[in-house]
Amino acid sequence: MHIAQATVWARGRSKRVPMRSVILLACASITGCTASAEEVRPPADQIFFPTGAAVSPDDAFLFVASANSELRYDSGSITVMDLGKVDQISNDWTTSQTIPDGCSQDPDHIETLICDETRFIMPNTGARVGNFATDIAVQDFKSGGPLRLIVPTRGDPSVAWIDWDGKKLSCNPSGDNFALCDENHRLAYVHNDPDVGLLPDEPFGAFAGKDFAIVTHLTTGAVTLIDSPPGGNASIADVLTGLFAADPLTGLRGSTGVAGRGDSGIVYVGARSEDRIQTLTVGRPVNSDIAPPYIIPEEYFFLDAVGGTAGGSTDTRGMAFSANGDRMYLINRRPPSLQIYDTSLDAGGAPRNKGIAATDLCREASTLAVMDAGDGDRAYVTCFQDGQLYVVDPRGLASVEDIISVGRGPYAVTAAPTRKKVYVTNFLEDTVAVVDVSPTSPTHDRVVLRIGEPKAP
Amino acid sequence: MKRLASLCLLMIAACSDTTPTGTNLLNLDRPVDIAFACFGGLRITNGQPATVDQAVVTSAQPTTSCDKRSEEPVDTGSNGSNGPPPGPPTPPGQEQLHDAQHPTAPIIPDTAWYAFILQSESGTVAIATWLTEPSTKFMGGEVTVQDANPLTPGQNSISVGENPVAIGTDVTGCKEVIANAGSCDMSILDVTSALTAGQTAIVDRLDVTTPNGGKLRSKPAAMQMQPPGGTIGVTCPAGATGLAYVAYPSCHAVAAIDTATGVVQQAITFDASGVPTIVPDGNISCPDECGGEPITAGTRPVTLSLLFDARVDREVLAIGADNSNVVSIVELDPNTSLPLSVPTRIALEDPNSNLGVTSLAVSPQIGMGGNQSMINDDNATGGQSQFVYAVATDNTIRVADILTLNRECDTQIDPRYLHDETSIKKLSCLPLGDPTLPRRAGARGPGIELIGDAIPTSVAITQVKEVAGDLRPKDSPTRLIGYFAFATAANGATYVINIDNDDKADVVDPEDPIGTQIPLDIAHQLRDSVLTRGLLATELDPSDPSGKKTLPICDTLGPDPDATTGPAGGARSTDQPGLTLPTGTLAAEKVVVLPSIRQVTCTGADEPNGKPVAETEFAAPVGPPPPGQVNIRDQVFPDLRGLRDDETWTFTWEGSLSQDDPDTAIDGPAVRESQMTVDSFGAHIVDQSKPFCDAGVEKYDIVQLRGCDPSLGDADCALGYTCFVHPQSKVTGLGACMLKDEADRLSNACKPFLTTLRRYTVGKSATGQLDLLPRKHVLRTSPVDGCTDDAQCQTLANYAARLTSSLNPVDDKTAADPHMWSCRIDPDRAPIAGTGKRCIEACSTDTDCDDGTVCDAGTCMESVVPPQACVNAAQRYELRAGEAFAVVGTKSGYVHPIIADAGGSCVKDPAAKPNQIGRFTLNPPACDPTADPGTGALPGGGFEPNPCFETIDETEYQPNWANLAGGSCTLGSPGTNLVMRPSDAIKFRNRGMTLDIVDPTYPGDAVCIGDRGANLGRIPTVPPGFQIVFRQTAGFSPLIVQITPAYPVKAVIGPTQSVWVIDEGDYLSTSITTPSTSGKVFRFEGQSVNTISVLQ
């Protein structure tokens, strides 16, 4: 008896030959040998080529990933900034023009104060990770316990997992300050076994759920599942490939943006190479303490509401949900647009996933954050090429409300709703721009503080 | 007055510097709005008669001047008279007086149109120009972008303000008024300075103030200008003239601002409940948004449409808010344009209380109806109407009559209920909520829906006059005469909507029912793009000397559906519907035993004796029906708009509820993946994304586990799992993902699971969980009325076994079925009629059962409840209709009425339309002969069942067995006979089709194939996977203007009723021949929508 194979998906799991794993393991070991050289140890109180940024759920801390893109140091880093102190100085500046020692008024933007990052980086809290970190996802276990940072790094490639107990980032049992994450905290192999599989190249975006994280891969289209149970170690549990079609021009596949819809367990992944949004869930075997979790591909939908007659709506980048999960905001580069999807649940409890609005954007938009600072949601979009932060009002058909110059090479943006501020990492000038987004503030949508002296071009 | 420096000069049309801007030069930077001005030579007459000594200047002037010059030339000399040659009309006083008799009279330079294109991000205005010509002269490409600063490389624009959102021309045509959201003020651009060579453009900033002296510092969202006026021949005043209506969403107000002073003259404010009030003194209070003052909640007006209709001397302003479903209509004084009253508030249907309006367009007062290819506003048979079109946040375009009815119009009434409606007045604005006029199934609301997921962004309404000598056929999609709306959408498409098509019938014409279907005829429908809708299967009658008379023919499939000229004709199947049989299930010679689409008799010039054609085919009879017959195709395809342009329909027995492939996302993946759990209640499919009600899963449907494909290695499984195939499994290609370390260990424990077909029955369907029941193996030929005893089952099993034989029964020696079949009730399948029993395979051991089934308690099972450890991997599966045909279109998908109830269980939506259905069984309830044949409505209310069982005439060729009574199968002469016989049939209605599927069951043959003499009863012969397939072509295909914007944000009506589409979006080209752009502007004429100018 024969059952026809109806599916035409070319989906599969990524596995590589052990020999390659061995070679790369050796390379990683060699790289690791240079890590102990004190002269190339990165400074713990500075940021350098900042990429990823994330705010702790209580809006108390800002985690910043320094990518070390010049390879000046032996590693990248994750530093922790005290947002209370950021608020204090920025508020003193905006309300009374107070300029603390070591700070100065930006000569080109007089509403902006520039302060060295040292005063904001909490001493003895950071950690070192691989080079070319791309993102930070904060895993909130919601049990009063520690947070966990998931940090993809392209250099190794690997994914670092770092616990935050409120005082210190920990990814090395040595307990040393600013320690390099050890091998247990640098995930490079599926099930921590080189024979099972290797983390695909170019880890890019990350999203953390309550007991897992999803990492996308820019040049392969693969999606990696990190099993990260509360109180337990993180490990690579599954790698799914073939979710996205290859770009017909370049042949490349790429998974890019990733975001989760609240606590529903549904994760949305965008693509660099086609106009598809794939949703995923994570399956956990029942009554088995040995079977690892796995990625379950769910429904997908196409970004055909925008740009249909001009060549489709491809190259998705940042994705973010509104606080209640009813709206998904998504950046596309072709055509450059911010698209808004109705992800509210229908009567059956499934997200509707219908395009409802869009607006034109800058050309090289990278990431976005969504926050309600008191006047409804706004999407904040970084424009790497133009050095701008677009503020999009999603009401009606959506419209660009403000365009803020934030610095050179803005990449990541993250928001602190209770502080009514967003924070933008400026990759090309080693700064973090602090933007006041309070709708009732005289400095609404202005960069009020630049953390770090802008590096010369 | 603040004069901005370093901006300047422009050529005028009279100058020689008219180098067109090539399309590869990029000038625009995200345009968002456009306004039009008239500039050129002007004799200063100050309203007096023209004289040769009056001064002539080059100046901005009222747009009415260019309007006049753009009219069609009037030939004042007729037929050999000595009158002047035809030439462009000239406004009074502006005639060219320079001639031989008046050599000193100044020559009036040419005058041209100018477009001021507002660019929001850069805060600039780009300028384009074209000649004053009638729209019929427009050939595309005439409009060129100008350079505001020749001294700076590139094509430059004029800086005007911060984040400007709207631009408009003042009454006199001398100033452009710009509303700035970035600085909460206005800019006034002097047109003459902007367009005069050598001058610097003058831009003044204008604060908006209230009469009591307060500054209005709210952010504007939209602006509409007082209609053009002014006297041609008067010098431009120093300041702007007339009113600008500006919408301030955060102030919950619309202000009428004197553009000369910036003072608010009057305003319309909205209170907390959204009720508008006219503030006659203009003193309103708004938060200083640009100063950071907090704003309050309330109605947010964001869109305006102002229209002065000179024909009836009515001027209205429509106001829409992005957080209100109410469109307010303000009556304006036609002389002053100031508000008179707000008599009308149109509450758009808003069941979820979340509707908003983002774009508006008010039509002129229209005389509805007429098909004489000319605008007939003053004597229209349908009476007078005036409409407002509102782009709503439910992604539809709502329509309301604002003349007499003052209510919303329903544009989604199911055409089945309008087929015989002849009141043009009624059809012009159909009521909402009339139970006799229900909406078509699946309609999102009363508004006009664009195709697919298109998000409308803007709408504009224009009048298109007839073109003298127009040679286009009357039913040409691009031949527009009457009133039309143009709607832009985020997907880049610009759709055309018929408001009053004066070129076409306004009701269904019984003589041409296919060519005059309701969606083609009535107001507020997307315009169709398919040619010759009324085309019939005919040929010219050679005996008719006039060469006009036609005769019906049958041997035609209609126009080539893949013709390069596009589809033509009415909806139909492209061929006779096909039957697809799974391999090894039925001999090809016996397809006669299977259900099929009904055939009717076509009699034509080429088939004088008649031939059977499927009721879906082009040759199925249409047109005025002979007595006793019906318009078959008109009945089969009763709602053109309910049909997608071209799609393939499959009716699959126990077919998948989704046919999505990697390129489609209609019903969800055809093969899904979820977790499977097993507990004391049985097995369950559990999915966090809760897809099952949306997928349309019903109780007794089938879950077919697909396991993994062992030919792909372990690629179907998660890392750490392997695709395991039990060595004793006889099911080809069906492995199971199991932990690598555990597969061998679990081999025995999981054997029953691993060796079955893994086909389960859905015991209960809920949003996130399907309860699975092991499925008993039922005989395919089990009677639809239930079996009576085991012996009958054994007989039918033998019959089933013989279905694969190509021999006639009299010659068929196929061995009897070796299995045991028992006539029993299966509580795990849907109840059936009659005895309620099915023929179920019985057994003592597994060897008694068919391959892929196992023996469990005396019954052969297609699946078992497995131990949890066997199914810990993700399970791939299909959802299939249980004992029913699944009706799926490649574009429409699987349409169903299933929703979740309050408890999350999947149930039939009690509010679902009767034709919102996508499946039928072989034995549905009987049709009601009293029901309306078109709609299925019953005289006393309600509907006949859908689907329903009927007896209907079927036309077919039958073998002419010469000696059937003698027990031999010899064909006589002719070998076949054309027969019309009464047949069991299933009438099935969905959104776009009403079909009859004949022969759902078969009585069996006694002697020869097709003799129907076995008297076995109503026996199903359909094997799982059997399909009836046809390609339906020439469904609704909207007319889309051939422009390619990346993100069109606005449609604007320009001079000569031209249509301008503002494309704000970037286009990132991947071609070396096509540049990337930062927005474009497209212009086309209603009279020729595919003649286009592109500015970029």
Side-chain angles (χ1 to χ4, degrees), chain B residues 297-316:
Chain B
T299 301
R300 292 170 38 82
V302 296
T303 177
L304 305 172
S305 179
L306 188 153
L307 183 115
F308 170 63
D309 187 344
R311 184 174 73 90
V312 294
D313 198 30
R314 186 189 190 197
E315 187 169 335
V316 296

mmCIF file of all heavy atoms in Angstrom, chain B residues 297-316:
data_model
loop_
_atom_site.group_PDB
_atom_site.id
_atom_site.type_symbol
_atom_site.label_atom_id
_atom_site.label_comp_id
_atom_site.label_asym_id
_atom_site.label_seq_id
_atom_site.Cartn_x
_atom_site.Cartn_y
_atom_site.Cartn_z
ATOM 1 N N ALA B 297 -7.815 62.469 24.655
ATOM 2 C CA ALA B 297 -8.488 61.497 23.798
ATOM 3 C C ALA B 297 -9.697 62.153 23.144
ATOM 4 O O ALA B 297 -10.286 63.091 23.689
ATOM 5 C CB ALA B 297 -8.931 60.292 24.624
ATOM 6 N N GLY B 298 -10.081 61.658 22.003
ATOM 7 C CA GLY B 298 -11.243 62.194 21.312
ATOM 8 C C GLY B 298 -11.202 61.848 19.842
ATOM 9 O O GLY B 298 -10.287 61.166 19.362
ATOM 10 N N THR B 299 -12.200 62.304 19.138
ATOM 11 C CA THR B 299 -12.289 62.031 17.707
ATOM 12 C C THR B 299 -11.129 62.705 16.981
ATOM 13 O O THR B 299 -10.835 63.872 17.199
ATOM 14 C CB THR B 299 -13.628 62.560 17.167
ATOM 15 O OG1 THR B 299 -14.677 61.899 17.878
ATOM 16 C CG2 THR B 299 -13.763 62.292 15.692
ATOM 17 N N ARG B 300 -10.510 61.950 16.105
ATOM 18 C CA ARG B 300 -9.302 62.435 15.431
ATOM 19 C C ARG B 300 -9.576 62.604 13.931
ATOM 20 O O ARG B 300 -9.376 61.669 13.152
ATOM 21 C CB ARG B 300 -8.165 61.443 15.629
ATOM 22 C CG ARG B 300 -7.658 61.335 17.050
ATOM 23 C CD ARG B 300 -6.704 60.158 17.210
ATOM 24 N NE ARG B 300 -5.836 59.983 16.061
ATOM 25 C CZ ARG B 300 -4.714 60.670 15.842
ATOM 26 N NH1 ARG B 300 -4.320 61.570 16.716
ATOM 27 N NH2 ARG B 300 -3.991 60.452 14.777
ATOM 28 N N PRO B 301 -10.041 63.758 13.518
ATOM 29 C CA PRO B 301 -10.245 63.959 12.077
ATOM 30 C C PRO B 301 -8.907 63.943 11.345
ATOM 31 O O PRO B 301 -7.985 64.682 11.700
ATOM 32 C CB PRO B 301 -10.904 65.330 12.004
ATOM 33 C CG PRO B 301 -10.515 66.030 13.263
ATOM 34 C CD PRO B 301 -10.381 64.966 14.304
ATOM 35 N N VAL B 302 -8.807 63.090 10.355
ATOM 36 C CA VAL B 302 -7.537 62.961 9.628
ATOM 37 C C VAL B 302 -7.706 63.061 8.121
ATOM 38 O O VAL B 302 -6.714 63.081 7.398
ATOM 39 C CB VAL B 302 -6.858 61.608 9.949
ATOM 40 C CG1 VAL B 302 -6.474 61.526 11.409
ATOM 41 C CG2 VAL B 302 -7.751 60.436 9.560
ATOM 42 N N THR B 303 -8.937 63.126 7.666
ATOM 43 C CA THR B 303 -9.113 63.191 6.219
ATOM 44 C C THR B 303 -10.313 64.078 5.901
ATOM 45 O O THR B 303 -11.312 64.088 6.637
ATOM 46 C CB THR B 303 -9.294 61.785 5.612
ATOM 47 O OG1 THR B 303 -9.531 61.919 4.205
ATOM 48 C CG2 THR B 303 -10.436 61.019 6.255
ATOM 49 N N LEU B 304 -10.175 64.815 4.814
ATOM 50 C CA LEU B 304 -11.204 65.756 4.381
ATOM 51 C C LEU B 304 -11.437 65.595 2.887
ATOM 52 O O LEU B 304 -10.526 65.215 2.142
ATOM 53 C CB LEU B 304 -10.760 67.207 4.644
ATOM 54 C CG LEU B 304 -10.351 67.589 6.069
ATOM 55 C CD1 LEU B 304 -9.751 68.997 6.076
ATOM 56 C CD2 LEU B 304 -11.545 67.526 7.007
ATOM 57 N N SER B 305 -12.627 65.907 2.475
ATOM 58 C CA SER B 305 -12.900 66.013 1.049
ATOM 59 C C SER B 305 -13.901 67.140 0.852
ATOM 60 O O SER B 305 -14.982 67.126 1.451
ATOM 61 C CB SER B 305 -13.468 64.704 0.496
ATOM 62 O OG SER B 305 -13.740 64.853 -0.891
ATOM 63 N N LEU B 306 -13.517 68.102 0.054
ATOM 64 C CA LEU B 306 -14.381 69.261 -0.185
ATOM 65 C C LEU B 306 -14.743 69.280 -1.653
ATOM 66 O O LEU B 306 -13.867 69.154 -2.515
ATOM 67 C CB LEU B 306 -13.655 70.541 0.216
ATOM 68 C CG LEU B 306 -14.467 71.850 0.212
ATOM 69 C CD1 LEU B 306 -13.867 72.845 1.206
ATOM 70 C CD2 LEU B 306 -14.537 72.498 -1.161
ATOM 71 N N LEU B 307 -16.008 69.442 -1.928
ATOM 72 C CA LEU B 307 -16.440 69.462 -3.317
ATOM 73 C C LEU B 307 -17.509 70.525 -3.535
ATOM 74 O O LEU B 307 -18.492 70.592 -2.791
ATOM 75 C CB LEU B 307 -16.995 68.096 -3.736
ATOM 76 C CG LEU B 307 -17.382 68.069 -5.215
ATOM 77 C CD1 LEU B 307 -16.516 67.099 -5.988
ATOM 78 C CD2 LEU B 307 -18.843 67.761 -5.390
ATOM 79 N N PHE B 308 -17.282 71.323 -4.555
ATOM 80 C CA PHE B 308 -18.290 72.281 -5.001
ATOM 81 C C PHE B 308 -18.837 71.770 -6.330
ATOM 82 O O PHE B 308 -18.093 71.577 -7.288
ATOM 83 C CB PHE B 308 -17.695 73.678 -5.178
ATOM 84 C CG PHE B 308 -18.648 74.624 -5.856
ATOM 85 C CD1 PHE B 308 -19.864 74.958 -5.268
ATOM 86 C CD2 PHE B 308 -18.333 75.182 -7.084
ATOM 87 C CE1 PHE B 308 -20.756 75.817 -5.902
ATOM 88 C CE2 PHE B 308 -19.218 76.055 -7.719
ATOM 89 C CZ PHE B 308 -20.422 76.368 -7.120
ATOM 90 N N ASP B 309 -20.137 71.522 -6.352
ATOM 91 C CA ASP B 309 -20.771 71.014 -7.558
ATOM 92 C C ASP B 309 -21.534 72.172 -8.195
ATOM 93 O O ASP B 309 -22.627 72.557 -7.753
ATOM 94 C CB ASP B 309 -21.722 69.861 -7.197
ATOM 95 C CG ASP B 309 -22.280 69.170 -8.444
ATOM 96 O OD1 ASP B 309 -22.175 69.752 -9.556
ATOM 97 O OD2 ASP B 309 -22.803 68.057 -8.305
ATOM 98 N N ALA B 310 -20.930 72.741 -9.243
ATOM 99 C CA ALA B 310 -21.508 73.927 -9.863
ATOM 100 C C ALA B 310 -22.859 73.625 -10.504
ATOM 101 O O ALA B 310 -23.721 74.493 -10.576
ATOM 102 C CB ALA B 310 -20.544 74.488 -10.906
ATOM 103 N N ARG B 311 -23.046 72.372 -10.931
ATOM 104 C CA ARG B 311 -24.294 72.034 -11.612
ATOM 105 C C ARG B 311 -25.498 72.223 -10.700
ATOM 106 O O ARG B 311 -26.564 72.653 -11.135
ATOM 107 C CB ARG B 311 -24.242 70.583 -12.114
ATOM 108 C CG ARG B 311 -25.448 70.154 -12.925
ATOM 109 C CD ARG B 311 -25.270 68.762 -13.513
ATOM 110 N NE ARG B 311 -25.370 67.726 -12.517
ATOM 111 C CZ ARG B 311 -26.505 67.110 -12.172
ATOM 112 N NH1 ARG B 311 -27.641 67.465 -12.762
ATOM 113 N NH2 ARG B 311 -26.529 66.180 -11.248
ATOM 114 N N VAL B 312 -25.306 71.913 -9.439
ATOM 115 C CA VAL B 312 -26.438 72.019 -8.507
ATOM 116 C C VAL B 312 -26.167 73.051 -7.420
ATOM 117 O O VAL B 312 -26.971 73.193 -6.491
ATOM 118 C CB VAL B 312 -26.728 70.649 -7.866
ATOM 119 C CG1 VAL B 312 -27.208 69.671 -8.915
ATOM 120 C CG2 VAL B 312 -25.492 70.108 -7.145
ATOM 121 N N ASP B 313 -25.020 73.731 -7.527
ATOM 122 C CA ASP B 313 -24.664 74.787 -6.576
ATOM 123 C C ASP B 313 -24.676 74.261 -5.128
ATOM 124 O O ASP B 313 -25.257 74.860 -4.237
ATOM 125 C CB ASP B 313 -25.636 75.971 -6.703
ATOM 126 C CG ASP B 313 -25.048 77.226 -6.058
ATOM 127 O OD1 ASP B 313 -23.811 77.352 -6.057
ATOM 128 O OD2 ASP B 313 -25.836 78.062 -5.548
ATOM 129 N N ARG B 314 -24.061 73.153 -4.954
ATOM 130 C CA ARG B 314 -23.933 72.601 -3.603
ATOM 131 C C ARG B 314 -22.450 72.418 -3.282
ATOM 132 O O ARG B 314 -21.683 71.936 -4.111
ATOM 133 C CB ARG B 314 -24.637 71.243 -3.488
ATOM 134 C CG ARG B 314 -24.642 70.701 -2.052
ATOM 135 C CD ARG B 314 -25.144 69.263 -1.971
ATOM 136 N NE ARG B 314 -25.348 68.867 -0.587
ATOM 137 C CZ ARG B 314 -25.471 67.608 -0.172
ATOM 138 N NH1 ARG B 314 -25.400 66.607 -1.034
ATOM 139 N NH2 ARG B 314 -25.660 67.331 1.111
ATOM 140 N N GLU B 315 -22.082 72.805 -2.086
ATOM 141 C CA GLU B 315 -20.699 72.642 -1.651
ATOM 142 C C GLU B 315 -20.708 71.928 -0.308
ATOM 143 O O GLU B 315 -21.409 72.336 0.628
ATOM 144 C CB GLU B 315 -20.001 73.997 -1.522
ATOM 145 C CG GLU B 315 -18.511 73.894 -1.233
ATOM 146 C CD GLU B 315 -17.809 75.245 -1.384
ATOM 147 O OE1 GLU B 315 -18.315 76.107 -2.132
ATOM 148 O OE2 GLU B 315 -16.762 75.434 -0.725
ATOM 149 N N VAL B 316 -19.959 70.846 -0.231
ATOM 150 C CA VAL B 316 -19.935 70.074 1.011
ATOM 151 C C VAL B 316 -18.497 69.745 1.382
ATOM 152 O O VAL B 316 -17.600 69.688 0.539
ATOM 153 C CB VAL B 316 -20.735 68.754 0.893
ATOM 154 C CG1 VAL B 316 -22.210 69.020 0.668
ATOM 155 C CG2 VAL B 316 -20.164 67.869 -0.206
#
